Amino acid sequence: MSEQNSSPMARMASDEELKTKYGKVYRVGITVPIDDEQEQEFTYRFKRPSIASYDRYVKTAAKTGITKASRVFLLDAVAEEDRERLVADMEEYPGVGITVGNKLTEIRGLTDTANLKRL
């Protein structure tokens, strides 16, 4: 099971440091059930995904599947400081990539909250 920090002494970059480095930064947190009695929380920080990355995501999802597309999309956008941990967590829990990827696509406009009404 992956831990949030690789060692107790590891220092994570602050949100302010990441904003200075990347501009817009987003934190995505999810909870994954490990078994009937345990859950694990995962938190990662991301740069705003580029339009080119989003386009690759949509194209790759249609051709090779959502798991691979989500993985590539997230690795394009993850803050370098969280990359190693994200890769390890996606290896252990492939659904992490899909769940977090879905959340990141929302800031590029892909959402299920659109309304359609026949006039």
Side-chain angles (χ1 to χ4, degrees):
M1 198 167 5
S2 176
E3 296 295 323
Q4 285 297 319
N5 293 319
S6 56
S7 75
M9 301 304 286
R11 179 192 163 302
M12 291 189 61
S14 74
D15 293 344
E16 289 304 316
E17 289 171 324
L18 294 181
K19 285 188 218 176
T20 299
K21 183 175 181 180
Y22 298 115
K24 291 183 180 178
V25 177
Y26 302 86
R27 179 182 304 152
V28 179
I30 64 171
T31 302
V32 175
I34 304 303
D35 57 35
D36 289 343
E37 299 175 5
Q38 293 181 310
E39 295 180 331
Q40 183 161 350
E41 293 185 16
F42 298 91
T43 303
Y44 313 98
R45 283 99 35 107
F46 295 89
K47 305 171 274 190
R48 183 174 174 85
S50 69
I51 293 172
S53 179
Y54 175 78
D55 287 344
R56 279 191 304 276
Y57 168 76
V58 172
K59 186 176 181 180
T60 305
K63 288 185 177 183
T64 63
I66 196 72
T67 301
K68 183 175 181 178
S70 295
R71 180 181 178 89
V72 171
F73 183 60
L74 294 182
L75 293 178
D76 279 351
V78 69
E80 192 60 40
E81 294 78 359
D82 291 356
R83 183 184 185 89
E84 188 176 311
R85 193 166 38 83
L86 175 62
V87 169
D89 292 342
M90 287 191 298
E91 290 295 322
E92 180 80 18
Y93 306 102
V96 164
I98 296 169
T99 302
V100 175
N102 286 342
K103 189 50 79 175
L104 281 184
T105 61
E106 289 180 11
I107 61 176
R108 279 284 155 209
L110 184 62
T111 178
D112 61 0
T113 59
N115 295 310
L116 173 69
K117 182 177 179 181
R118 184 174 173 199
L119 302 178

